[in-house]
Amino acid sequence: MRVAINRVRLLEQLSRTVRFVSSNEHVRVLECVYIEVSTDRISIIGGEGTTFFMTEMHTEHVQIQQSGRVVVQAKLLADIVRKMQESEIILSNEETNDRLTVTTPSARSTFVLQLLPADEYPLPERMEEKTLFTIHGGHLKAAIRQTLFAIQKKEQMPTLTGVKMEVQNNTLTMIGCDRYRMGKVKQSLTSQISAASETAIVPGRAVTELEKLLGDESVDVRLCKSKIEFNGKDFTLLTHSITGTYPNVDIDVEGAYAARFTLQKSALIASLERVAIIASQERTNLIRMRVQAKQVQFSASSQVNQALESLDIDQFLGAECKVSFNAGYALEALKALDTEQVQVQINQGMQMILFTSQEKEGVLQLIMAARTAG
């Protein structure tokens, strides 16, 4: 194999690939990147066994002199390319199959790296099914931002460590939940759907990296119970879904409620952030909310300090009530909500506080509440 590559372009692709590579020293091949040079392109693959990132570089960025394939330590190669100064990098293993030479046209910088056998790399099996749907990258990115924050960070309940994606009746529903809060987004799909319905739970790490990859270009999505594949303009992200049954999180926003009112989101966030300064001094991090007909009050106290904020409310329905909630959960939910006016709803049993958008249907943020005595 011998190929000359634009250094900036190679570094860009390696940097993206390295984020998916395993750091498990017990499986050396998963610490590597797989590079295959064909007659008209270079394919780069990296992954940790269940999630893989794939990208390609075509002839406008490369000069292919000899085809071949190599498996080399990913982070090491990326660090070397990052530090080299010339605009072009030459990768070659012409003389020996177990070493990769990384150099520049001037040969002032040269590295010789050990290779692993290319046959040992666990290449992912691409999905053969047709694209299930196509979605604007910005719309998918927004849905991820509104759900990903709410997933479970520790594997106490594996299904809750991922984002549920469900396609049904030309509607995409995405849900993140950790039993204490939930983010849910529904949006209509304008592209042709190739199946009536499909559901999968996408691992949180894969969703986190997907959000970084998305831009304004459309993304083709293939979805089944065992695998999910996202195909963007210059990348493919393939991951295994999380097995298990996702909890039933159907919430009737129009159902019975104890109180419902509307606030300006920026004013609500600012008030909560000020009260949270005192709430954070206690382990529970709780803010108390007192809802009245024309005003809502937020308060918190520690052993020696207190905070109180009041906001005027609009469109009040229901009855006066008091609940407490986690300050951090509320702020994360509100900041993920893409709206200027937020509708706040306390359910009839006063166990949940719901935040919905006044401008966009299908977006719901939920946090669990604790009734305040007295």
Side-chain angles (χ1 to χ4, degrees):
M1 182 190 89
R2 183 178 175 86
V3 60
I5 314 173
N6 178 279
R7 188 187 72 86
V8 174
R9 180 63 174 166
L10 176 60
L11 179 59
E12 177 186 318
Q13 301 300 355
L14 285 175
S15 298
R16 297 200 301 175
T17 307
V18 163
R19 299 205 302 263
F20 294 85
V21 172
S22 172
S23 58
N24 185 349
E25 296 181 0
H26 299 292
V27 187
R28 289 185 60 206
V29 72
L30 291 179
E31 292 186 310
C32 297
V33 62
Y34 175 94
I35 302 174
E36 182 170 359
V37 178
S38 59
T39 56
D40 61 345
R41 72 191 66 188
I42 298 177
S43 300
I44 300 176
I45 301 174
E48 38 76 286
T50 59
T51 300
F52 287 90
F53 174 81
M54 293 164 270
T55 187
E56 292 181 344
M57 289 185 290
H58 296 267
T59 51
E60 62 265 30
H61 301 290
V62 301
Q63 298 175 26
I64 297 170
Q65 299 171 17
Q66 184 178 337
S67 61
R69 55 186 185 140
V70 296
V71 173
V72 61
Q73 191 174 24
K75 188 177 185 302
L76 179 61
L77 179 60
D79 288 343
I80 289 169
V81 173
R82 183 177 293 108
K83 294 297 184 181
M84 297 179 95
Q85 295 184 330
E86 296 186 33
S87 61
E88 195 171 73
I89 300 291
I90 299 172
L91 303 179
S92 171
N93 73 327
E94 294 173 293
E95 297 180 1
T96 173
N97 288 327
D98 62 351
R99 294 288 188 272
L100 176 69
T101 301
V102 184
T103 188
T104 57
S106 69
R108 291 177 180 174
S109 297
T110 300
F111 295 82
V112 180
L113 308 180
Q114 183 182 20
L115 297 175
L116 268 67
D119 291 338
E120 291 184 5
Y121 194 84
L123 290 171
E125 294 184 10
R126 297 288 299 273
M127 295 178 66
E128 296 181 359
E129 294 86 349
K130 295 180 180 179
T131 297
L132 180 62
F133 65 90
T134 301
I135 186 171
H136 186 276
H139 296 165
L140 181 56
K141 190 181 184 78
I144 291 173
R145 182 175 56 83
Q146 292 165 343
T147 54
L148 180 62
F149 76 94
I151 69 170
Q152 197 173 83
K153 304 305 186 288
K154 298 180 180 179
E155 293 193 6
Q156 298 170 332
M157 193 171 179
T159 54
L160 296 184
T161 62
V163 173
K164 180 183 178 182
M165 294 185 70
E166 181 178 19
V167 177
Q168 191 170 19
N169 299 326
N170 279 70
T171 300
L172 170 65
T173 302
M174 294 178 60
I175 302 172
C177 178
D178 69 355
R179 295 188 297 176
Y180 301 102
R181 54 185 170 170
M182 181 184 74
K184 183 176 182 179
V185 179
K186 279 188 175 184
Q187 53 184 309
S188 299
L189 297 170
T190 57
S191 67
Q192 186 176 356
I193 310 300
S194 60
S197 63
E198 285 289 354
T199 301
I201 304 172
V202 191
R205 181 169 183 255
V207 179
T208 299
E209 295 300 337
L210 176 62
E211 184 181 14
K212 299 173 186 176
L213 295 169
L214 293 171
D216 292 330
E217 297 85 9
S218 295
V219 179
D220 295 331
V221 182
R222 296 172 182 166
L223 190 70
C224 69
K225 289 185 178 181
S226 61
K227 289 182 182 179
I228 311 99
E229 185 173 303
F230 302 92
N231 291 288
K233 180 182 179 182
D234 62 349
F235 73 88
T236 295
L237 173 57
L238 176 66
T239 184
H240 288 269
S241 61
I242 298 174
T243 58
T245 303
Y246 203 83
N248 183 3
V249 290
D250 287 337
I251 303 295
D252 184 8
V253 179
E254 300 302 325
Y257 53 84
R260 177 191 283 178
F261 55 92
T262 302
L263 287 166
Q264 184 182 25
K265 189 184 82 166
S266 59
L268 175 56
I269 289 175
S271 290
L272 292 179
E273 286 180 332
R274 289 190 288 268
V275 178
I277 296 172
I278 302 301
S280 64
Q281 295 181 330
E282 294 293 318
R283 183 178 59 85
T284 57
N285 200 28
L286 288 180
I287 288 178
R288 293 178 291 278
M289 178 168 66
R290 181 182 181 185
V291 182
Q292 299 172 299
K294 295 183 179 180
Q295 190 179 74
V296 60
Q297 292 182 340
F298 303 104
S299 62
S301 60
S302 65
Q303 291 183 348
V304 294
N305 302 309
Q306 295 182 338
L308 177 66
E309 288 274 337
S310 299
L311 290 174
D312 294 334
I313 61 177
D314 296 322
Q315 304 175 29
F316 175 76
L317 295 170
E320 296 185 0
C321 58
K322 299 177 184 178
V323 293
S324 296
F325 54 85
N326 182 285
Y329 288 175
L331 285 168
E332 282 188 313
L334 288 165
K335 289 176 181 179
L337 198 62
D338 188 13
T339 185
E340 293 184 4
Q341 297 290 322
V342 58
Q343 180 176 271
V344 183
Q345 180 172 310
I346 303 168
N347 79 318
Q348 185 68 51
M350 302 214 315
Q351 307 101 335
M352 298 179 288
I353 301 172
L354 285 66
F355 303 118
T356 55
S357 172
Q358 287 288 88
E359 293 94 31
K360 295 184 179 180
E361 294 184 1
V363 181
L364 167 67
Q365 302 292 345
L366 178 151
I367 61 173
M368 300 304 293
R371 191 189 301 243
T372 302

